Amino acid sequence: MNGTITTWFQDKGFGFIKDENGENRYFHVIKVANPELIKKDASVTFEPTTNNKGLSAYGVKVQAESKYIYIAGERLKLTSIKSYLVYREEVPAVTRIDKENAVLSVGVLMSSIRPKKADKPDEVRSLKKLAITTFQGTTLIFSEDEIDIDSTVKLLKV
């Protein structure tokens, strides 16, 4: 069963896990395979059981946090990210599909099949973008047509 550690009393060696059904389960540090990873809000797997005091868990394994983030098919090591910036850029409202570019975003594909309104050739739109700079000096730029920028920024803040 899966769950999340909601409370952890390190000095006492026990805590509580909220299981996938929303119920709280007691666990003790001696029932944890990797106790060095125990912390509040950590994801866990465990075997559900009950004892004379109620619901509990044994065979608890704390899931290690990922050191990587995946953005639009790019794998980035979190510790290699130097900085990031969210900004807006004015781009042509009518996006043409570049047949030389094999990678197409869902946003570009969707805009190519939407019913066309009377777009003026010079019309522009404001496009939200995310620029990520690594310690290696690489800058990756993603647009809101490719990724959900707000949820990606939340992952970067962790």
Side-chain angles (χ1 to χ4, degrees):
M1 185 173 266
N2 297 315
T4 304
I5 296 175
T6 56
T7 310
W8 170 237
F9 301 102
Q10 185 172 358
D11 55 329
K12 297 179 180 161
F14 74 91
F16 294 91
I17 296 170
K18 180 168 274 195
D19 68 21
E20 54 199 39
N21 299 324
E23 297 184 293
N24 287 318
R25 294 180 174 272
Y26 167 87
F27 76 96
H28 194 275
V29 68
I30 61 172
K31 303 289 185 183
V32 180
N34 47 357
E36 68 281 359
L37 296 179
I38 297 174
K39 68 177 189 178
K40 188 176 184 313
D41 296 327
S43 295
V44 295
T45 59
F46 62 92
E47 294 298 322
T49 188
T50 55
N51 60 23
N52 57 353
K53 293 184 181 177
L55 299 174
S56 63
Y58 72 96
V60 178
K61 278 190 180 173
V62 182
Q63 304 297 309
E65 291 181 343
S66 176
K67 295 179 174 110
Y68 294 93
I69 183 172
Y70 293 88
I71 306 172
E74 293 284 334
R75 181 179 140 180
L76 291 169
K77 192 171 188 177
L78 286 170
T79 55
S80 72
I81 296 173
K82 182 178 182 181
S83 63
Y84 63 90
L85 173 71
V86 176
Y87 64 98
R88 290 202 166 271
E89 184 177 339
E90 299 296 316
V91 298
V94 179
T95 308
R96 301 283 177 229
I97 296 176
D98 180 4
K99 292 186 170 66
E100 299 296 317
N101 185 359
V103 179
L104 297 172
S105 73
V106 173
V108 171
L109 290 173
M110 290 304 291
S111 68
S112 71
I113 61 173
R114 280 191 198 116
K116 296 291 181 195
K117 60 182 195 290
D119 286 327
K120 298 175 186 85
D122 300 342
E123 193 173 345
V124 294
R125 67 183 177 117
S126 179
L127 185 66
K128 192 175 188 181
K129 292 192 173 186
L130 170 66
I132 299 174
T133 304
T134 66
F135 285 107
Q136 293 77 20
T138 306
T139 300
L140 301 165
I141 299 175
F142 304 97
S143 74
E144 66 185 340
D145 286 344
E146 299 171 300
I147 64 170
D148 180 346
I149 291 182
D150 295 330
S151 66
T152 303
V153 168
K154 285 180 188 174
L155 293 173
L156 293 171
K157 288 181 179 179
V158 172

